[in-house]
């Protein structure tokens, strides 16, 4: 009886133990290579690399996301002070890095450096939108978090605007 119990337990353990995946790197690479990336995908990568380069480091984490036709620039400083002023300073840092005056909310040029990341030689911008770069600027939002834990402060707003809101959880 004891041997049957041990045998049954061993069989159950073997059945419930996940089988080791048989790695086939070539199959994964071929699948990924066979799936075309869009210019939207490339844009998100370009924006994320620029944001990390221009704003990230020294305790500031960055990443980029999208929601429908919006590009969201996320900035997080866990070690920062959990204050509204510190949160707004993070948003200001993102704006300054892209050539936008945080006080007025307007770019130094007709459009920001972030909008320039949506430029591609194969796109006739005028046929898409007569004010392509300015419209591209309107697609960006900034979402920042200053401090960590329960006391962290979140703020957000459009990239090209002086508006900053402090949503409550």
């Amino acid at each position: 009886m004891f041997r049957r119990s041990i045998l049954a337990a061993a069989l159950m353990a073997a059945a419930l133990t996940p089988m080791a995946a048989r790695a086939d790197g070539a199959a994964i690479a071929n699948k990924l290579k066979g799936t075309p990336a869009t210019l939207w995908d490339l844009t998100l990568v370009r924006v994320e690399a620029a944001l990390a380069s221009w704003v990230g480091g020294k305790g500031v984490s960055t990443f980029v996301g999208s929601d429908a036709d919006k590009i969201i620039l996320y900035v997080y400083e866990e070690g920062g002070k959990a204050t509204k002023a510190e949160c707004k300073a993070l948003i200001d840092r993102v704006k300054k890095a892209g050539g936008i005056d945080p006080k007025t909310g307007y770019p130094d040029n007709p459009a920001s450096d972030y909008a320039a990341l949506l430029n591609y030689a194969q796109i006739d911008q005028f046929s898409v939108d007569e004010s392509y770069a300015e419209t591209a600027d309107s697609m960006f939002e900034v979402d920042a978090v200053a401090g960590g834990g329960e006391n962290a402060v979140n703020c957000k707003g459009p990239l090209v605007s002086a508006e900053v809101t402090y949503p409550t959880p």
Side-chain angles (χ1 to χ4, degrees), residues 58 60 75 77-93 144-147 153-155 166:
K58 297 183 184 176
V60 176
V75 185
E77 186 176 26
E78 184 176 14
K81 295 177 185 174
T83 64
K84 287 183 176 181
E86 186 75 19
C87 194
K88 183 174 181 322
L90 286 171
I91 288 183
D92 289 352
R93 185 173 171 175
V145 176
V153 175
N154 175 241
C155 57
Y166 302 88

Side-chain angles (χ1 to χ4, degrees), residues 14 18 24 28 46 82 89 102 115 121 129 133 137 154 167:
D24 184 1
I28 293 170
R46 290 170 88 177
D129 186 314
D137 266 340
N154 175 241

Side-chain angles (χ1 to χ4, degrees), residues 21-104:
R22 297 184 188 227
D24 184 1
I28 293 170
N30 288 336
K31 180 63 177 175
L32 294 175
K33 289 176 184 178
T35 306
T38 65
L39 288 179
W40 180 255
D41 298 325
L42 178 58
T43 296
L44 295 177
V45 170
R46 290 170 88 177
V47 171
E48 184 151 0
L51 183 65
S53 169
W54 299 343
V55 179
K58 297 183 184 176
V60 176
S61 300
T62 61
F63 62 99
V64 172
S66 66
D67 183 19
D69 61 348
K70 295 288 184 189
I71 299 172
I72 306 160
L73 309 174
Y74 293 98
V75 185
Y76 179 52
E77 186 176 26
E78 184 176 14
K81 295 177 185 174
T83 64
K84 287 183 176 181
E86 186 75 19
C87 194
K88 183 174 181 322
L90 286 171
I91 288 183
D92 289 352
R93 185 173 171 175
V94 170
K95 290 181 180 195
K96 287 178 188 175
I100 298 169
D101 181 346
K103 289 181 182 179
T104 65

